[in-house]
Amino acid sequence: MMEKRYDMGAESPSLERCRLVFQWGLLLNIENPQSVVLIQAWGLMELQKGNNLAAIKLLERSAHMDPARCMAVLKWQQVVNARELVLQKKAAQALAVAGCAQDGLAESELVFEMAVTPLV
């Protein structure tokens, strides 16, 4: 299998071209059940780039579409770490926006609520 790594530098036109290739691939193969690997590959590219939210959404979508082939990736340590970062960020944003005390929720209750809410 051929592996291609993307440079971890700043956002660049080549990253946008990679995203366009994935989008076109999905559009052209919308009826093909094999297209789930495009979603997974796109998610892995976003993970490598550090775009954790996009990566987790794409990887979870691929696992939902084809659990037999794609669920194992969700157990990889990098993916687990990325998911934890996304959940922490969502919880911190929710605390900042909601003001926590105004809604009568304790901080731990809000964090639990954010943790059990699916990302997709």
Side-chain angles (χ1 to χ4, degrees):
M1 182 189 288
M2 187 167 78
E3 178 181 333
K4 192 76 169 170
R5 294 216 172 243
Y6 179 76
D7 178 26
M8 295 298 282
E11 292 280 326
S12 70
S14 61
L15 176 61
E16 286 305 314
R17 283 190 292 252
C18 288
R19 288 177 177 143
L20 283 173
V21 168
F22 283 120
Q23 289 173 351
W24 276 103
L26 290 171
L27 284 172
L28 294 172
N29 293 292
I30 199 160
E31 297 296 323
N32 186 347
Q34 300 295 322
S35 66
V36 71
V37 297
L38 287 173
I39 298 170
Q40 186 178 51
W42 188 356
L44 292 173
M45 182 195 73
E46 295 293 350
L47 180 68
Q48 186 180 37
K49 184 61 183 150
N51 298 328
N52 293 330
L53 180 60
I56 295 303
K57 284 185 174 187
L58 289 163
L59 293 171
E60 286 183 345
R61 182 175 298 155
S62 69
H64 176 73
M65 291 171 69
D66 190 350
R69 290 177 31 190
C70 300
M71 191 63 77
V73 172
L74 296 179
K75 297 176 185 173
W76 292 358
Q77 191 60 49
Q78 286 179 305
V79 176
V80 170
N81 293 344
R83 180 183 283 140
E84 289 174 3
L85 287 173
V86 167
L87 289 173
Q88 289 171 2
K89 187 173 182 177
K90 281 180 75 173
Q93 288 173 342
L95 287 172
V97 172
C100 195
Q102 292 178 349
D103 294 337
L105 292 175
E107 181 177 346
S108 60
E109 291 172 320
L110 185 58
V111 170
F112 175 77
E113 182 178 317
M114 296 302 295
V116 297
T117 305
L119 292 174
V120 225

